[in-house]
Structure formats: C-alpha cells, structure tokens
Amino acid sequence: MRLNSLEAFLAVLLAMQLGIDSGFAVAASPAIGTIVTRGAFRMNQATLTSNATLFAGATIETGAAGSLMELASGTRLELGPESRGRFFGDHLVLERGQSKIDKSLGFRVEARGLTVLSDTGGSTGRIRLPGSARVEVSALTGSFRVLNSRGMVVAKIASGKALVLEPQQATGPTRVTGRLVKLGGHYLLTDETTNITVELTAKKNLANQIGQRLEVTGSSDGVATPVSDATELIEVAQATPAPPPATAPAGAGGSSGTGGAAGGAGGGAANGAAVSVTLIAVIAGVAAAAVVGGLAASGSLGGSAAAPVSR
Amino acid sequence: MIGARLFAAISLAAFVFAAAGTLRLAIAESLWRTGSLAAGGWPMSVGNSSYYEELAVREPALEVSALGRAVAANPRDSAAWIALGLAAERAGDTDRARYCLLQAEKVDRQYLPAWTAANFFFRQANDTEFWRAARQAAAMFYDDPAPLIDLADHRELKAVAALERLGDTPRLERGYLHFLIAEGRWQEAQEVGGRLALRRGAQDRELLLALTDRLIVAGRAEAALAIARARAGAVTNGDFRIEPSGHGFDWRMTAPPGGAAHWESGRVRFWLARSTPDACALLDQWVVLDPGGYRLRFEYRIDGLAEETGLHWTAVRHGIEEASGPVLTRAAGLAAGDRKTDWSFGVKKPGFYQLRLVYSRVPGTTHIEGRAEFASVELKNL
C-alpha cells in the first residue's frame, strides 16, 4: 500500500515535471529581441512595417528608414538606412551599411572578416562599411577592440576616436608608428593609430633609438611569444624617425602607405570619411588609418535612424 | 423664432469650424508642397496626437510622456498606442504595454495592431492571447504571410496544428506551404500540400507542382507521388492529352538545339536540324520504379531522319544510365503501319528514375534533318 502511494506520488511528480518542461520548452523560444522601425523593412526577405519579433539568424534589411533592435540581452542596436545584417543573440554580422551599438558588453559585430567588441558595458559605437572592403569603427562612448579573422587584436579604439580598417589580401609587412621604449629588457612600441603595443627585435641595436618616435616596418614572428604587454613580436626590417604627426583630408594625395586603408587616402573621398594620410598602420594583416576629425568626420546614422514609433 | 436663431447660430459655428479646418489643411499642404513642412508644418499641429508622436521621435528622453499625451489627445490613434506599448515593453512595463497594445487593437481592427499584439504576446509567452491576436492578424494579412507563419511556427511546431489555430484558409495554406518548402520540412509540406490539393484550386497547381519538384529532388518518392496523385511504375500524361508542364511527374520537353519541339493534344513532335548536336535529350519524365521488369509501349512516326534514327529511350537513375533501349528505325514507325513499339527493361534498385528519350547519332550514319513524333506512351510492370 505504501509502495503504491509512493509510486503514485512519483508519477504525479513526474507528470508535473513533464508539464513544467513542456511549458518551459514553449517559453524558451529562440526569440532574441524586438525590431522597431518607422517605415518598412525586410526580414528574411519578407516585407514588414512597424515592428516584429527578432529571431536568431534573422536577416534584416532596411530601406529609407533605419531600424531599432532591442535585444533580450539588453544590447540596443540601430541598423542604419539602406543597411543589412544578420542578427544573433550575441553578435551581428553586418553585411551592408552601418550600425550603432549601445550597451554592448558581450556583444560583437562581425564585418568583412573583422570583429568589433566593446571593452565596457556602457560602450556605444558605430560600425560603418564604406566602399567594398573597409570597416569604419567609431567609439562614441567607452572603448572598443577590433580583432582580425584569427582572433588577434588589431586595434584598440578609445572613446571619441574613429578608425578605418581594411583586411589585406596577402599578409604583408607590419607597419607601426610610435615612441620606442625599453621595459624589462624588451623593446616596445605602441602604435599611435591602432593603440596596439608590439615588441620589437632587430639585428642591429635599437638602444640608441629609445625615446624616439619611429616608423617601423617588419615582419611578424608568428611563433615566438611576445612580452605580456605586446600582442605581436615584430622583427624589424626598417626603423626610421617618423615625420611629425600631420593629417590631411582624404583625396589630398601624397600617401606613402601600403595599400588597403592606406590606399584609402587616395580613394577615401568616395567613401565620405576623411582618413589620415600619415598615420597608417598595418597590424596582423589589417591596415588601419585614423579618421581625420574623429567622430565628427565619421558620419552618423542620420536623421532617419530608427525611431520607436510605428506608422 | 428662437429655434430658428439657434439653428442659424449652430450652422454659423459649424461653418466657421469647417472653414478653419479647411484653411489649416490648405496651409499644411502648401507647406508640404514647398518642402517646408518640417520647418513650418510640424509646430502647426501642436495639440494633435501626431505632434506628440513626432516629439517622441525627436526627443527620445520624452518618448513615453509624449506618446502618453498623444493617446490622450487622440484615443483612436492606433499608431500612438502601438508606439506607446512598444516603448513600455522596452522600459519593462509589460502591464502598460499589454494595455496599450490591446487598446490599439480595440480602436483599429486592421492588420498592424493585431500583428503587433501577436508579437508582444509571443514574447510574453502568453499562448492564449498570442493565438487570439495571431488568428486575428491571419484573417487579414495583405502581403507576405511568412513572418506571421514564422511566429506561429515558433509557438506550435506542427504545421497543420498551427494552421488550424491560425484559422485554416487556402491563402494561409499556400503561405505555410511556401514557408515549409523554404525550410525543407518535407513531411509537413506533404501534409499541408495534401490539404491544398484536396481543394483542387486551379491557382494552386503551380505551387503543388513546385512542391512535387522539390520532393523529387529531396528523394521523397511516396510524398511526391501523393502530392502529384501519380502512381508508381507508371507514366503520367502518357497520352499527351494536356500540354506537358515540365514539372513534377509530367513530361519535360526540350527543343533540340537548332531544332524545335511542339505539343498538340495527343502527341509531341520534335524537329532535328543539321545544326543539332550529335547527342541531346528530347523528352524526360520522372517515374518511381520498384525492382523488376517493365515494358514501355509507345507509338512513333519518323520523317526524314536516317534509317537508324539515333532516337532511343533510356532509364536514368542519379544521372547514370541504368537501361537503354534499341535505336528506333524508320521502318518500325507509324508510317510503316506498325503503330506500337515496345521496349522491355529491368531495374534493380527502387526509387526515382528518369525515363528519357534521347537523340544520339549512330556512328556511320549521316546527320540529316527530320521530324519525330511520339504518342500513347505506356509503362507497365511485367
């Protein structure tokens, strides 16, 4: 009798458990947030207006009006007008246009082989895809890191700064500019454009250049581990005194850069943003140039950005 | 007398009110046409709900309070209720969001409020309200139903059950079928396609043929046969009574390069030109065969080709020729009075086969222009 009662009790418990599980399965939907826009937008190629529930993997394409995405994680994104991206719970694959990201800790934006991550929870940034190969990252508040396709940090962007980056087709020489310091017997240089610190090794003695502002080209030693502050160990091919910092609007010519974003000095005018013509860095296969005027020159999502009103 | 004066006073007041409204609209339109609406038109509408909605957009910090004023100014403004509901949801005030979105549905019985409410209740995991709103939206969707179906599909994993909860209509079934085909969910596509096929709507023929094509490509023989109402071990439209559609289990006719293909009720004709390549397929049909022997019987007529025409039937499986018939000769054709010809063949593996009529120039024969005509094709299990 007691056994029967126990069996009945366990059966009821099991039934309740199954009920809870089944309810939970319904509640645990793969919805990742909401999308709100003033006009029409396309979600997975279907045209919608006003708002929708965002599911993981959804491709959103905006028209004349941008869209606002509020993710369950708390991250808030704006997809600019004429933009397209694929949304997931923890990342966005930006395919066209631009996106603004807010409260972005733990959320990343992938674009053209690069990954943009915020360093702090309150960071707000903008990622724009000018031209056919570049990625422009603006840190509006807080700081951001940019990683290459191998997960290596290629730029650290401080608040108020903007960079244009372009992955290179072939791994060319590394090029950095900054002041040479010696710490614990290691030669270190923090690139002025990307804010990335590299360790330098050279056949000739670098001691007489300590404290100088240098323009260094060299090749990355992918095997050796750099000192902890540095992300890469560079074997120096050439280290020359850097010219004084100067910037000019894009299209002003005179770039002595190494292609990619460097070449953007000449071709950048078409993309709207003015980029530095002297501070061009190439780190881990990614060329980077500062945007002249920082955020002011990096453009904005414009007046038609997402607005939480449906029509 | 007093009544007449009162009537006149009311009429005058109504006239003044109407005139003021007309004048206001005229000024607004003028501003809009001159492109200065943004500068001049917006402030004119102070006190209207649209003013507060615009304010909510321009001043995100004031969003909720401005939208609150908007719905107070015009409680029938569903857009303002929706915007306020979504803003409340973003702010974590789900009770207020629910109230606002239900209000939007109450004052506006069109698609958007129902769609918005369905999405909200989906996110809140409120099944009862979700299906109520989704059903409401499904009854009046005016564009692509895919997003609504996607939403319902996330809540109810069985397509037919979801369809019934949404309010089964042919339009919705079509939408669901498109959705399931895109998702590659063949079992459910077969179920929904079967329901659609039962309705025998002429407008659904193309969609069902497309489904059959996809089921064939997916290798789902039984499902494809069921949707196409075709039989295993038999040809479809063998008498060429209707024009081959080129889909499903129907014939696919291919005009030989440099030549032509033509259907007329009861027969198909092919013209081969001097420029026709030495090998090409002319006629093709998917058939489902079990292992065993089969006999293909058909009528044909040849004009102008070489004695050994180069025309013959093949059975192809996964792109590989499993059986090949003898080359047709002019003598055995219709012109010779022998109207029927057989080709017997066997297959070892079950599944889809392509029954294919091909032209392949016989070595040693001259490539001559000519015409071939086929009729009454039958396939029988031996």
Side-chain angles (χ1 to χ4, degrees):
Chain A
M1 185 67 187
R2 277 186 67 187
L3 186 62
N4 285 346
S5 300
L6 183 63
E7 280 175 346
F9 176 70
L10 286 174
V12 170
L13 260 185
L14 185 62
M16 285 173 67
Q17 180 66 37
L18 285 171
I20 291 166
D21 284 351
S22 123
F24 180 75
V26 171
S29 106
I32 56 168
T34 57
I35 171 169
V36 179
T37 178
R38 287 195 87 179
F41 64 98
R42 287 174 73 77
M43 183 164 74
N44 298 331
Q45 302 189 330
T47 303
L48 285 163
T49 53
S50 180
N51 67 90
T53 301
L54 197 59
F55 292 105
T59 297
I60 304 293
E61 205 169 347
T62 57
S67 290
L68 172 69
M69 286 80 176
E70 188 95 8
L71 302 188
S73 61
T75 298
R76 198 178 161 106
L77 294 124
E78 285 177 26
L79 193 62
E82 309 298 343
S83 300
R84 186 177 64 220
R86 194 154 184 230
F87 287 79
F88 298 87
D90 59 355
H91 71 283
L92 157 68
V93 181
L94 185 62
E95 295 172 354
R96 192 178 70 212
Q98 57 185 317
S99 178
K100 187 179 167 189
I101 175 171
D102 194 14
K103 298 178 190 166
S104 53
L105 190 62
F107 193 87
R108 64 188 194 275
V109 177
E110 297 174 5
R112 294 177 173 169
L114 299 178
T115 301
V116 182
L117 287 163
S118 72
D119 284 330
T120 56
S123 300
T124 301
R126 183 185 300 125
I127 295 97
R128 198 168 75 90
L129 304 183
S132 60
R134 292 181 199 162
V135 179
E136 183 184 297
V137 183
S138 309
L140 305 177
T141 61
S143 57
F144 284 81
R145 274 174 297 152
V146 182
L147 281 62
N148 68 6
S149 58
R150 300 191 304 277
M152 194 170 179
V153 181
V154 294
K156 293 176 184 172
I157 306 168
S159 179
K161 303 284 185 189
L163 279 188
V164 173
L165 302 112
E166 182 175 327
Q168 304 294 282
Q169 294 296 328
T171 307
T174 295
R175 178 180 170 179
V176 287
T177 303
R179 207 163 291 281
L180 183 69
V181 295
K182 189 173 184 184
L183 284 174
H186 299 274
Y187 293 103
L188 300 175
L189 184 146
T190 300
D191 179 62
E192 293 169 3
T193 303
T194 60
N195 207 23
I196 293 292
T197 300
V198 294
E199 183 181 351
L200 303 178
T201 60
K203 284 174 185 160
K204 72 167 196 174
N205 194 359
L206 293 170
N208 58 349
Q209 290 177 300
I210 290 171
Q212 285 184 30
R213 192 168 166 274
L214 301 175
E215 189 174 295
V216 174
T217 55
S219 55
S220 172
D221 185 337
V223 181
T225 307
V227 69
S228 63
D229 288 346
T231 59
E232 235 185 331
L233 184 66
I234 305 297
E235 196 162 315
V236 176
Q238 190 178 13
T240 55
T247 57
S255 169
S256 58
T258 56
N271 299 319
V275 297
S276 165
V277 293
T278 53
L279 294 181
I280 295 157
V282 181
I283 292 182
V286 177
V291 176
V292 173
L295 301 181
S298 70
S300 73
L301 288 172
S304 51
V309 172
S310 63
R311 298 281 179 201
Chain B
M1 187 66 178
I2 293 172
R5 283 187 178 176
L6 186 62
F7 178 73
I10 291 170
S11 301
L12 182 64
F15 172 76
V16 170
F17 184 74
T22 307
L23 182 65
R24 193 163 165 275
L25 282 176
I27 293 171
E29 181 162 348
S30 165
L31 288 169
W32 179 72
R33 288 187 186 284
T34 55
S36 53
L37 182 66
W42 183 49
M44 275 192 64
S45 58
V46 172
N48 283 350
S49 61
S50 52
Y51 166 80
Y52 291 113
E53 286 172 65
E54 195 63 40
L55 182 64
V57 173
R58 295 181 186 217
E59 298 290 343
L62 301 175
E63 184 185 20
V64 173
S65 64
L67 289 169
R69 284 171 175 251
V71 296
N74 182 4
R76 300 199 63 77
D77 185 343
S78 62
W81 280 115
I82 289 173
L84 184 56
L86 293 172
E89 187 190 3
R90 279 199 297 278
D93 189 349
T94 51
D95 287 343
R96 190 177 191 192
R98 176 195 167 94
Y99 172 77
C100 293
L101 297 177
L102 289 175
Q103 280 298 114
E105 276 193 283
K106 196 172 160 187
V107 300
D108 181 354
R109 299 199 174 273
Q110 295 184 76
Y111 179 77
L112 187 56
W115 158 254
T116 306
N119 275 272
F120 171 73
F121 289 119
F122 176 91
R123 293 190 291 269
Q124 296 301 312
N126 182 336
D127 257 20
T128 309
E129 285 295 311
F130 165 72
W131 285 110
R132 179 200 57 73
R135 192 179 177 94
Q136 184 86 359
M140 54 189 160
F141 69 87
Y142 44 79
D143 198 3
D144 187 349
L148 181 63
I149 288 167
D150 192 18
L151 206 58
D153 194 70
H154 275 84
R155 190 54 73 198
E156 170 58 70
L157 296 176
K158 290 177 183 161
V160 171
L163 255 175
E164 281 168 0
R165 298 187 82 166
L166 284 174
D168 198 359
T169 61
R171 219 172 143 223
L172 209 53
E173 277 176 359
R174 275 174 223 126
Y176 226 119
L177 188 51
H178 278 295
F179 175 80
L180 294 169
I181 290 173
E183 296 259 306
R185 286 159 56 181
W186 304 121
Q187 180 59 42
E188 290 163 287
Q190 182 194 348
E191 288 168 14
V192 176
R195 291 165 79 101
L196 206 53
L198 281 176
R199 297 183 190 271
R200 294 175 181 273
Q203 73 269 43
D204 296 327
R205 186 167 173 264
E206 290 291 318
L207 179 56
L208 291 172
L209 282 173
L211 172 60
T212 311
D213 284 344
R214 299 294 296 271
L215 289 170
I216 289 171
V217 171
R220 301 185 69 101
E222 283 184 22
L225 288 169
I227 291 296
R229 294 168 177 271
R231 283 188 303 117
V235 291
T236 302
N237 195 17
D239 57 3
F240 300 104
R241 191 171 51 81
I242 55 170
E243 184 171 8
S245 66
H247 290 285
F249 289 99
D250 203 355
W251 297 107
R252 287 158 175 79
M253 285 175 69
T254 309
H262 174 72
W263 166 87
E264 67 176 51
S265 187
R267 63 197 63 218
V268 287
R269 290 197 188 98
F270 300 94
W271 282 268
L272 283 84
R274 287 185 187 279
S275 56
T276 297
D278 281 351
C280 58
L282 303 175
L283 194 61
D284 198 302
Q285 179 171 130
W286 285 104
V287 289
V288 177
L289 303 179
D290 283 325
Y294 293 87
R295 185 179 63 211
L296 186 76
R297 175 168 285 187
F298 54 97
E299 295 177 18
Y300 74 96
R301 180 200 300 271
I302 306 290
D303 286 326
L305 294 177
E307 179 61 28
E308 286 188 292
T309 61
L311 294 165
H312 62 282
W313 289 92
T314 61
V316 177
R317 184 173 183 273
H318 295 320
I320 297 166
E321 196 174 278
E322 296 273 322
S324 179
V327 172
L328 305 181
T329 58
R330 271 200 314 217
L334 294 177
D338 185 5
R339 299 180 66 85
K340 294 273 184 186
T341 301
D342 287 348
W343 166 46
S344 294
F345 64 98
V347 297
K348 290 176 183 167
K349 291 177 182 168
F352 283 109
Y353 285 81
Q354 283 170 286
L355 202 55
R356 184 178 285 172
L357 175 68
V358 296
Y359 168 73
S360 181
R361 186 176 66 82
V362 177
T365 62
T366 314
H367 195 133
I368 310 171
E369 286 181 329
R371 189 180 75 169
E373 184 178 305
F374 290 82
S376 301
V377 181
E378 290 174 73
L379 182 65
K380 285 201 172 161
N381 195 204
L382 293 174

